[in-house]
Amino acid sequence: YSGIDSSIIAVDSVTILNKHFLAIYRSPDSLILFRDGDTILSDIWYNNGFEFTDFDSDGYKDLIIERVSNVGGIKDLLLFDTINLTFKLVDDLSKFPSPEKIDQDIYYSYEKAGCADAYWISLLFEIKNYKTVPLGEIYGQGCEDGEKRIDIYKIRMNETKKKIPIETLPLDTIEKFQNTKW
């Protein structure tokens, strides 16, 4: 049938506050977002899929876009803006791989940092006014024969974005938790 658009890779839709949103991912690598038939965002960056889900648990679906990456878990997030009835990009979420919400507006990320995932970095952060704000970092070192440990830092967001050491724990501390380092 010649009427089929073979450039369409994925389509999804959601209705929020009586507005119908339609996302179409087309080859080569463009995502277009419509609200009630009108284009509100177009040519959104190269991606590896998308989904409407309530990322921030505010009761409204957001748009998460998976990036193609050799790191894995790199996402872009467009939070639903209830005032303008559109989606707004959260700045720098791609710096926080595999983000997960843990409490109210607090999230963590997990990133492999080498040695077959025996080194890792987890960042604690919040999202304020569509921007990420780092709060802390955990650096796990579990590969070398020397001291296997977890270093915990507080991050002060000022001109220097300073990391302040808080505590160092033995690596086996993670065994006390059901999901270990995850």
Side-chain angles (χ1 to χ4, degrees), residues 5-168:
D5 185 344
S6 62
S7 70
I8 295 176
I9 297 171
V11 176
D12 198 3
S13 66
V14 65
T15 300
I16 307 171
L17 297 176
N18 297 318
K19 298 289 181 183
H20 185 73
F21 297 90
L22 174 68
I24 300 175
Y25 176 39
R26 290 192 135 107
S27 177
D29 308 314
S30 81
L31 182 72
I32 302 169
L33 186 62
F34 300 92
R35 180 184 58 219
D36 292 335
D38 295 326
T39 303
I40 58 172
L41 295 170
S42 63
D43 296 324
I44 301 172
W45 48 94
Y46 186 76
N47 67 81
N48 193 33
F50 67 92
E51 72 174 317
F52 287 107
T53 188
D54 188 1
F55 182 83
D56 59 357
S57 304
D58 66 353
Y60 301 101
K61 299 265 179 151
D62 306 302
L63 182 60
I64 296 177
I65 300 169
E66 292 279 341
R67 282 198 187 179
V68 173
S69 164
N70 63 347
V71 173
I74 304 295
K75 301 172 193 266
D76 284 311
L77 170 64
L78 291 99
L79 290 175
F80 185 70
D81 175 359
T82 58
I83 294 169
N84 297 306
L85 302 177
T86 191
F87 292 84
K88 287 187 179 177
L89 179 67
V90 172
D91 289 343
D92 293 333
L93 187 70
S94 62
K95 293 180 180 177
F96 302 88
S98 302
E100 295 287 336
K101 185 172 185 168
I102 56 174
D103 187 37
Q104 294 196 352
D105 295 325
I106 306 293
Y107 303 83
Y108 76 93
S109 67
Y110 176 85
E111 179 178 6
K112 299 173 185 179
C115 200
D117 200 23
Y119 290 129
W120 79 93
I121 300 169
S122 289
L123 293 167
L124 188 67
F125 67 100
E126 59 188 344
I127 297 174
K128 286 189 172 183
N129 299 320
Y130 304 98
K131 295 180 189 295
T132 56
V133 180
L135 303 171
E137 177 182 305
I138 295 174
Y139 179 61
Q141 302 174 64
C143 190
E144 301 299 323
D145 288 335
E147 184 182 1
K148 294 181 180 180
R149 65 185 206 223
I150 300 169
D151 294 323
I152 302 170
Y153 302 91
K154 180 177 183 174
I155 298 175
R156 281 236 170 91
M157 288 306 295
N158 53 25
E159 314 79 52
T160 61
K161 198 175 175 181
K162 187 175 181 180
K163 286 187 349 184
I164 301 162
I166 300 294
E167 188 172 7
T168 296

